[in-house]
Amino acid sequence: MSGAALLEVEGLSRNFGGLQVASDISLTLRAGDRCALIGPNGAGKTTFVNLVTGVIPPSAGTIRLAGRDVTGLPAAERVRLGLIRSFQVARLFRSMTVREHLELAVLQRDRRTFRLFASVARVAGLAGEVAELLDAMGLGAVASTAVGSLPYGQQRLLEIALAVAMKPKVLILDEPAAGVPHAESQRILDAIDRLPTDLAVLMIEHDMDLVFRFASSIVVLAQGRLLCSGTAAEIAADPQVREVYLGSRADAR
Amino acid sequence: MTMAGRTASRTGVAGAHPPPAARRDLGWIGIPLVAVAGLAAFWLLPDDLALLTRIAASALFVLSLDLVLGYGGIATLGQAAMYGTGAYAAGIAAVNWISDPFALLAVGGLAGGLIALVTGALILHAHGLTLLMLTIAVGQIVQEIANKARDWTGGSDGLSGIDPAPVLGLFRFDLYGRTAFLFALAVLVVALMVARRIVRSPFGLACRGVKEDPLRVSALGGSPKSYLVALYAVAGVFAGVAGALTAVTSGIVGLDSAGFPWSAEALVMLVLGGTGRLYGAVIGTAVFMGIHHILASSDPFHWMGFIGLFLIGIVLFLPGGIASGAGRLSALLSALARPGRDGGRA
Ligand SMILES: Nc1ncnc2c1ncn2[C@@H]1O[C@H](COP(=O)(O)OP(=O)(O)OP(=O)(O)O)[C@@H](O)[C@H]1O
Ligand SMILES: [Mg+2]
């Protein structure tokens, strides 16, 4: 795999007061990459996502998206350039239905939200695309349910569906399977498989079973630093990783 | 296929909770209902046409507030700035240049929309109390400008001498106020149709998203502030038309049309009727002004107290406003109509 570099992170650092939550992280995602980012709780994985997507500013480092420096761009601007993330804790519009969420995502992606006098129900091509997205996540039966009254697992699936609906170039999934019933987690992998192969996906995940099914490469983060990276097999065999991460989790089980 | 079946059965269990009713939308049926209720009032209360006309124009103003508050979550106590600007713009145009009533409404709508666009772009980065203060300040500034520009506005004496031409060149504004009321009712009904269209548009959907979680909207690539400014401007057009409608039908514009009390009263009427439902604005305005009218003439000393008690009752027992009562009633009735269905599971 050596496609064009889509996301290039260099020397990214950030501290909260005295706490160094990201120190000198460098990472490149190329077209076609399926990379997993793992690390113990509090390692700084979500913070890394927030830095890359522009939710919080870094104290040092640069972020390039498809060759373009986006370090100073606001979050929404990066989204429009194709850098899409899902949230670790489902972050949705509680009173809106599942269908309305997907409609909004697709309309926003196509920049058709400033139509004041068109009916959402009659926007060309929208209903079909939304139906496909609903189907892919098995959310068809709850399409008209307000999200606030949806079981958490289905909220998580909708969160993924929203990210997928944005047709990302770089997709970052922050623990997509957290809270999803085990039998449904395959849906998430299936949805990623259906995406164009030339996009880059970075998945943060604790479920090692899912990680090994998904990832071609793995990056390990501990205490805000990149510990090591390599193929799935290399990481699984790495004694250092076993000690800080796999080992401690295996003991916990 | 089997996967879909499994999901469906799981959601079946989730569906044991009462399905969330289509709260926001009493459907298109409400629009003909408003028209019919207005016409019924026209026949039944021929002596109160001046009041009914004021109710129709005020309902349009409260509707504009529902657009910003109910669909965008913008807390404002300065919506009268747009109403007053529209009223004065139409009034000044009528006194000096134009007399066609529709053209006057257009002037009012344009003026209301412009002032909302400009002030909205300046203040809508703020939130909460700061924003509330800023909206009040804008209202005060508009009122002060109207007060100082006596030559144009008549200052504290008010602007009079507005004498609009017959509607469509056919229907004169008569002494009994028949034309005025029917004109106001027609404008209100059309405005409801337009507002309904807007809130169901892609734009309306995005605004509801901003109301609930602006940061999530930016994570979808949207710019929350530009939605809010656009919504504020659109609502400003509605408020401006409402002001112009009052100017055209009453023939006068006063300083109180841009005042803080009028903004606050609109908020009370909206909360009474129910926010985020469009029809709540009409119901709240009719109930508030109707009660006000009846009580103020029968008991001029205590009517404010009655209104206060009534409001407390509504807020306590119907937190979604009067319009939510209809939704609850229909949910209750449909629950009673099929007691066996969910009962087996419970
Ligand atoms: N806004 C903040 N202010 C101060 N400290 C923060 C802030 N956000 C995160 N932290 C701290 O930074 C560290 C890294 O947090 P982060 O959420 O990035 O970890 P994580 O790797 O995503 O963990 P998890 O696996 O539990 O999701 C934690 O110690 C956390 O308490
Ligand atoms: Mg995290």
Side-chain angles (χ1 to χ4, degrees):
Chain A
M1 286 279 176
S2 57
L6 288 181
L7 179 70
E8 296 161 276
V9 176
E10 262 176 47
L12 204 60
S13 302
R14 167 79 201 207
N15 53 303
F16 290 124
L19 184 68
Q20 191 77 23
V21 280
S23 54
D24 199 21
I25 303 177
S26 298
L27 176 78
T28 301
L29 290 182
R30 298 177 177 282
D33 274 359
R34 297 290 181 269
C35 180
L37 175 62
I38 63 173
N41 292 109
K45 303 181 295 295
T46 299
T47 304
F48 175 71
V49 177
N50 287 338
L51 289 169
V52 169
T53 54
V55 176
I56 51 179
S59 1
T62 57
I63 301 150
R64 272 195 298 279
L65 195 60
R68 177 174 169 189
D69 189 339
V70 297
T71 317
L73 287 188
E77 201 79 39
R78 299 184 202 195
V79 172
R80 279 174 235 146
L81 292 172
L83 177 61
I84 311 294
R85 61 93 58 96
S86 73
F87 290 85
Q88 178 173 357
V89 177
R91 182 151 189 185
L92 301 163
F93 309 109
R94 296 187 61 77
S95 81
M96 279 165 53
T97 67
V98 172
R99 178 179 287 111
E100 284 171 336
H101 277 80
L102 293 169
E103 284 168 346
L104 179 54
V106 171
L107 288 164
Q108 183 68 65
R109 178 199 72 201
D110 295 345
R111 292 174 214 184
R112 290 191 288 186
T113 40
F114 271 95
R115 300 185 173 187
L116 270 68
F117 301 103
S119 161
V120 170
R122 276 185 231 129
V123 173
L126 182 62
E129 185 174 355
V130 167
E132 268 172 37
L133 289 161
L134 286 169
D135 229 35
M137 284 295 168
L139 291 170
V142 289
S144 307
T145 307
V147 160
S149 54
L150 215 57
Y152 189 69
Q154 287 182 322
Q155 293 191 23
R156 299 291 307 147
L157 290 175
L158 175 57
E159 181 75 48
I160 310 302
L162 282 183
V164 168
M166 298 301 291
K167 293 204 175 145
K169 287 199 184 72
V170 176
L171 175 61
I172 304 181
L173 300 169
D174 195 353
E175 302 199 24
V180 176
H182 202 75
E184 299 281 303
S185 64
Q186 184 61 35
R187 279 190 191 283
I188 295 170
L189 293 183
D190 290 345
I192 295 168
D193 280 344
R194 268 192 299 273
L195 293 172
T197 48
D198 61 349
L199 66 83
V201 185
L202 179 71
M203 183 196 285
I204 296 170
E205 190 49 69
H206 284 304
D207 180 343
M208 292 315 289
D209 179 40
L210 203 63
V211 165
F212 288 125
R213 273 191 284 161
F214 159 80
S216 47
S217 63
I218 298 181
V219 177
V220 186
L221 195 71
Q223 290 171 345
R225 295 179 175 281
L226 272 195
L227 197 65
C228 58
S229 59
T231 65
E234 284 165 10
I235 295 296
D238 190 311
Q240 207 186 353
V241 175
R242 296 184 80 90
E243 192 190 315
V244 303
Y245 187 65
L246 296 175
S248 61
R249 284 187 70 82
D251 291 344
R253 272 196 203 141
Chain B
M1 276 292 121
T2 52
M3 289 290 261
R6 215 182 301 150
T7 316
S9 66
R10 177 198 326 245
T11 55
V13 177
H17 301 289
R23 294 182 306 114
R24 186 163 285 99
D25 197 13
L26 296 184
W28 57 270
I29 207 95
I31 291 173
L33 273 182
V34 169
V36 168
L39 289 177
F42 180 73
W43 296 121
L44 294 174
L45 304 167
D47 297 332
D48 292 314
L49 289 181
L51 170 70
L52 292 173
T53 307
R54 256 191 296 130
I55 290 179
S58 305
L60 179 52
F61 174 49
V62 177
L63 178 68
S64 80
L65 183 62
D66 195 22
L67 286 175
V68 288
L69 182 67
Y71 291 89
I74 304 171
T76 167
L77 278 170
Q79 192 66 4
M82 276 58 84
Y83 176 90
T85 303
Y88 274 112
I92 292 169
V95 170
N96 296 290
W97 307 291
I98 319 176
S99 64
D100 180 72
F102 287 107
L104 291 172
L105 294 190
V107 168
L110 200 68
L114 271 178
I115 188 108
L117 186 67
V118 172
T119 60
L122 290 174
I123 67 175
L124 282 172
H125 57 84
H127 302 278
L129 270 183
T130 318
L131 179 58
L132 216 53
M133 291 301 145
L134 288 170
T135 59
I136 294 173
V138 169
Q140 303 293 85
I141 290 169
V142 167
Q143 197 179 28
E144 196 47 36
I145 290 174
N147 188 27
K148 286 278 149 59
R150 297 190 61 85
D151 294 347
W152 289 96
T153 62
S156 52
D157 299 334
L159 177 66
S160 54
I162 301 166
D163 185 19
V167 178
L168 300 170
L170 294 173
F171 308 102
R172 320 193 116 277
F173 284 94
D174 55 299
L175 271 178
Y176 309 101
R178 291 195 195 106
T179 305
F181 174 68
L182 293 174
F183 181 61
L185 181 63
V187 172
L188 175 64
V189 167
V190 170
L192 274 171
M193 280 163 31
V194 176
R196 186 173 144 78
R197 182 114 208 162
I198 291 172
V199 301
R200 291 157 62 87
S201 71
F203 175 71
L205 186 64
C207 288
R208 282 170 53 205
V210 174
K211 181 188 175 194
E212 283 204 37
D213 189 347
L215 280 181
R216 190 66 178 92
V217 170
S218 28
L220 293 175
S223 151
K225 192 187 165 189
S226 46
Y227 290 123
L228 292 182
V229 172
L231 180 66
Y232 200 63
V234 168
V237 172
F238 279 75
V241 170
L245 185 58
T246 308
V248 166
T249 53
S250 71
I252 47 167
V253 180
L255 278 181
D256 52 354
S257 67
F260 171 76
W262 186 217
S263 293
E265 209 161 278
L267 189 60
V268 170
M269 293 192 272
L270 180 60
V271 170
L272 193 62
T275 58
R277 303 158 193 278
L278 300 185
Y279 304 114
V282 181
I283 296 171
T285 309
V287 168
F288 182 91
M289 293 180 74
I291 292 181
H292 178 167
H293 179 73
I294 294 164
L295 290 184
S297 53
S298 66
D299 189 350
F301 297 109
H302 299 112
W303 72 270
M304 237 357 213
F306 282 112
I307 291 265
L309 283 179
F310 188 63
L311 246 184
I312 291 170
I314 289 288
V315 170
L316 284 182
F317 298 111
L318 275 181
I322 299 172
S324 78
R328 285 173 186 225
L329 202 64
S330 73
L332 192 71
L333 288 179
S334 60
L336 287 175
R338 46 183 171 80
R341 215 190 96 183
D342 293 342
R345 216 181 250 131

